[in-house]
Amino acid sequence: MSATATRAAVFTGVGQPLEIQELVLDDPKPGEVKVKIAASGVCHSDLSIQNGTLPLAPPIVLGHEGAGVVVDVGEGVTAFKPGDHVVTTWVGQCGTCYTCTHGEPFLCEATSLVQATNALLDGTPRFSLDGKPVGQMSACGTFTEYTVVPAIACVKVPDDIPLDRAALLGCGVLTGCGAAINTGGVQPGDTVAVIGCGGVGLNVIQGARIAGAAHIIAVDMVASKLELAKTFGATHTVNAGDGDPVEAVKALTSIGPMGPRGVDIAFEVVGATALLQQALSMARRGGRVVFVGVPRMDDMMTWSPFMELFAFDKKVSGSFYGHSNIHRDINRYVDLYREGKLLLDELVSRTISLDDVNGAFDALEKGEVARSVISYDG
Ligand SMILES: [Zn+2]
Ligand SMILES: [Zn+2]
C-alpha cells in the first residue's frame, strides 16, 4: 500500500461549514490500522467542535463514530487483517496502563491525550493537505473515505452486522447504554429519569430498559423526541416545557416520609447547568446522579454539598465514555441487537452522503431526533 487520496469533511474554523477536501492519508505506522470507512454517525460532539463549544484548533477531520473494513495494518498488528469488519472508537484501551489495569479502561492513560491533540498516539495525524498536517478528531476522523487509527481503538465485529448500524456503537451506544448499565448500575425494578432524548439519551433509556428498570421517565422539550423515547423503553414522559420538570418527575415516584421520594438514578444527557441542577434535585435520598452531557468548559455550578452529599447522601458521578470496556461491551451490544433488545435501526433518522454533512449539523442544531448517518457505499 502507499499513501491514499481520501475525501474528508474538515473543520477549518469556528462557525465555518465543514469543507470537503481531498486529503493525503499516509500508511499506517506500527500499531495502527487503515480502515475503509463504510459509515459514520454524526454526533453532537462533532457539532460542538464546529461551533466552538469544544475549543480545538483546526484543521481537523471530524467524525468519531465509525465502522468499516480494515484494508492495511502497520507493523506489529496481529489482532486485525485486511477484510476484518471493525468499529472504530474514540477511546483506545492499551490494556497495561494504571487505569486499564484498575478496571477503568475508559480512562486509558495511553490514549487520554488524543481528545486534546487530535492526533494518533505518536502525536501526529496521518492526514495532510499540501504537505501540512490535518488533525483527526480523538485519533479517529471518520468523516472520510479512509482513515488510519490506533489498533487498540478498534474492535472486530461479525461480518453480518450492517456497518451503518455497527457505527452507532462507537459513540452513542457505548456512551448512552454504558451510562445506564455501567455508570448508573441500573438494577431491576429501579425508577430512573433521563433528561434529554437525543441520540445518546435514547441509548441511556434503552440501557436502563435492558438493565431492568421498572420506570423510565423521559424528559425533553420536544414532543417528537418524547414519542421516540417510548419506542426505546420510556414508560413515562415529561415535557419540560409544560411546567417544573422536577416536580413532574417526582410526582411519578413512590411516596416517602417527606412526599414523593424522587428517582433512584437521574441522568443528565444535555450538558446544561440548569439541567444538571434538575437531575440533582430529581434524585431520591441516597440516589445517584449521572452527568452524561458535555457542558461548556467555562460553565460553573453552585449547590449545597451539605444538603445533597451529607444530608441526602446522593452519589454524583461523571460518565466518561459510559465507563465502557470496548472489548467487553461492543460485542455484547452486537448480541443484544441481534436479539432485538438493542434498537439501532430506530436511532437512524436519515442516511446521507459526505457532502451533506453540514445539513446534518443544521438538523442537529434544530433538535432533530437521533442520528444522521453518513454512508460511503451509496
Ligand atoms: Zn459522539
Ligand atoms: Zn491503558
Side-chain angles (χ1 to χ4, degrees):
M1 298 286 287
S2 55
T4 310
T6 184
R7 294 179 78 238
V10 183
F11 163 65
T12 59
V14 172
Q16 303 297 312
L18 300 190
E19 272 182 35
I20 308 297
Q21 298 176 342
E22 184 160 313
L23 305 178
V24 171
L25 178 66
D26 285 345
D27 287 344
K29 291 187 177 178
E32 297 172 357
V33 296
K34 182 173 180 178
V35 179
K36 181 178 194 298
I37 296 290
S40 175
V42 180
C43 175
H44 216 278
S45 300
D46 301 304
L47 174 64
S48 294
I49 291 177
Q50 187 265 349
N51 68 20
T53 305
L54 292 172
L56 291 166
I60 305 170
V61 176
L62 298 187
H64 59 283
E65 189 182 77
V69 180
V70 173
V71 290
D72 193 13
V73 300
E75 199 184 307
V77 174
T78 55
F80 302 99
K81 60 182 188 313
D84 284 347
H85 288 203
V86 292
V87 169
T88 62
T89 73
W90 54 270
V91 180
Q93 295 177 194
C94 77
T96 56
C97 73
Y98 185 89
T99 47
C100 278
T101 55
H102 284 69
E104 295 171 335
F106 47 91
L107 300 178
C108 174
E109 292 178 335
T111 59
S112 61
L113 286 178
V114 300
Q115 279 94 42
T117 60
N118 295 297
L120 300 191
L121 302 183
D122 71 348
T124 63
R126 295 295 158 267
F127 295 110
S128 61
L129 179 67
D130 301 330
K132 296 195 185 87
V134 176
Q136 39 191 125
M137 180 177 179
S138 298
C140 289
T142 56
F143 290 173
T144 183
E145 297 156 320
Y146 291 89
T147 192
V148 170
V149 293
I152 59 171
C154 288
V155 177
K156 210 186 290 189
V157 291
D159 291 354
D160 62 320
I161 296 297
L163 289 168
D164 59 350
R165 299 299 182 259
L168 303 169
L169 300 174
C171 182
V173 173
L174 280 180
T175 303
C177 288
I181 297 169
N182 301 328
T183 315
V186 173
Q187 296 295 307
D190 276 352
T191 294
V192 309
V194 180
I195 304 175
C197 301
V200 175
L202 292 172
N203 278 300
V204 177
I205 289 168
Q206 67 173 339
R209 170 178 50 75
I210 290 164
H215 305 107
I216 301 171
I217 307 166
V219 184
D220 205 289
M221 304 274 281
V222 181
S224 59
K225 287 189 179 180
L226 291 172
E227 246 351 273
L228 193 58
K230 291 182 194 166
T231 307
F232 281 78
T235 57
H236 300 77
T237 60
V238 167
N239 191 320
D242 292 346
D244 181 359
V246 175
E247 290 308 312
V249 166
K250 290 183 81 170
L252 294 166
T253 64
S254 60
I255 303 294
M258 294 180 291
R261 283 203 173 86
V263 298
D264 296 305
I265 314 169
F267 298 91
E268 199 277 358
V269 200
V270 179
T273 51
L275 306 185
L276 294 167
Q277 180 61 58
Q278 288 177 8
L280 203 53
S281 304
M282 286 173 188
R284 69 168 169 84
R285 189 171 185 219
R288 272 159 282 157
V289 184
V290 180
F291 289 172
V292 186
V294 183
R296 290 183 55 87
M297 277 177 72
D298 51 1
D299 280 347
M300 296 291 158
M301 283 181 77
T302 304
W303 46 276
S304 163
F306 174 87
M307 291 304 292
E308 303 293 6
L309 300 184
F310 171 69
F312 290 139
D313 195 17
K314 294 179 187 176
K315 289 82 177 171
V316 180
S317 178
S319 185
F320 196 78
Y321 212 24
H323 290 190
S324 301
N325 177 331
I326 58 175
H327 300 295
R328 178 194 64 191
D329 294 348
I330 286 185
N331 277 291
R332 174 164 79 179
Y333 295 134
V334 166
D335 289 342
L336 288 164
Y337 173 65
R338 281 197 169 123
E339 292 165 15
K341 292 175 183 157
L342 183 87
L343 308 185
L344 294 178
D345 305 347
E346 295 80 353
L347 277 175
V348 180
S349 308
R350 55 193 188 147
T351 302
I352 61 170
S353 73
L354 182 66
D355 299 283
D356 294 331
V357 65
N358 289 301
F361 274 2
D362 292 342
L364 207 54
E365 263 184 333
K366 284 185 201 128
E368 185 206 36
V369 293
R371 276 288 192 271
S372 298
V373 173
I374 301 170
S375 168
Y376 298 89
D377 291 338

